[in-house]
Amino acid sequence: ATATKVELDAELYDSNSAFDTSNYRFTVPSGEGGTYFLYGHIAIDSQEDSGIVHASAKIRKNNSTDLIETYTNQSANQQRDIPFFVHGAFVLSAGDYVELFGYLNDDSGSGMDFKGASGSRLATNFGGYKLIGV
């Protein structure tokens, strides 16, 4: 029952080499501040049937500000897996970094798993692109 950074250790596209797969974050390059459209999708698995009580996904800036969060209360209709989408446009300055986080409170305490890739299916992903400059 704590927000956990999603470990995204592979990239498909990164034109400015701004995503670091060792610390799982995108850092705005020097001179590239502006408005960015960011999106994330997390497939959260409670690892037990009917286990999810509360769950959420969020994009966090500089590990201190939640830019956007989606949340669900499943206490009356518990599931094992649940997908979350977060997205929006945000003003970022050079040096700001953003990360994707997931949260799970489950009945069993069996833990949380972020589903990854399987073939062409990307169950958990994070991305963005610059809309306009400063």
Side-chain angles (χ1 to χ4, degrees):
T2 186
T4 303
K5 188 185 334 183
V6 179
E7 296 178 358
L8 301 158
D9 56 4
E11 302 179 284
L12 294 179
Y13 308 102
D14 187 356
S15 60
N16 285 328
S17 299
F19 189 85
D20 189 331
T21 57
S22 67
N23 61 17
Y24 322 114
R25 68 172 61 151
F26 168 79
T27 302
V28 178
S30 177
E32 293 296 328
T35 302
Y36 284 79
F37 182 82
L38 304 174
Y39 59 89
H41 173 253
I42 303 175
I44 295 177
D45 178 359
S46 71
Q47 301 186 49
E48 181 176 300
D49 290 343
S50 303
I52 295 175
V53 178
H54 305 103
S56 71
K58 65 176 80 177
I59 297 173
R60 185 176 283 171
K61 180 176 97 173
N62 299 333
N63 201 28
S64 62
T65 303
D66 294 342
L67 295 176
I68 190 165
E69 180 176 14
T70 58
Y71 171 83
T72 187
N73 179 338
Q74 297 288 314
S75 59
N77 184 23
Q78 293 175 299
Q79 303 174 52
R80 176 182 175 134
D81 299 326
I82 193 162
F84 278 97
F85 298 91
V86 288
H87 56 85
F90 309 99
V91 176
L92 300 174
S93 299
D96 283 342
Y97 63 91
V98 291
E99 301 161 304
L100 183 62
F101 282 79
Y103 167 86
L104 173 68
N105 176 9
D106 71 343
D107 272 346
S108 68
S110 60
M112 170 174 55
D113 182 35
F114 301 127
K115 296 294 187 184
S118 176
S120 63
R121 178 183 60 108
L122 295 175
T124 296
N125 58 73
F126 182 48
Y129 48 89
K130 187 175 179 181
L131 296 174
I132 56 176
V134 174

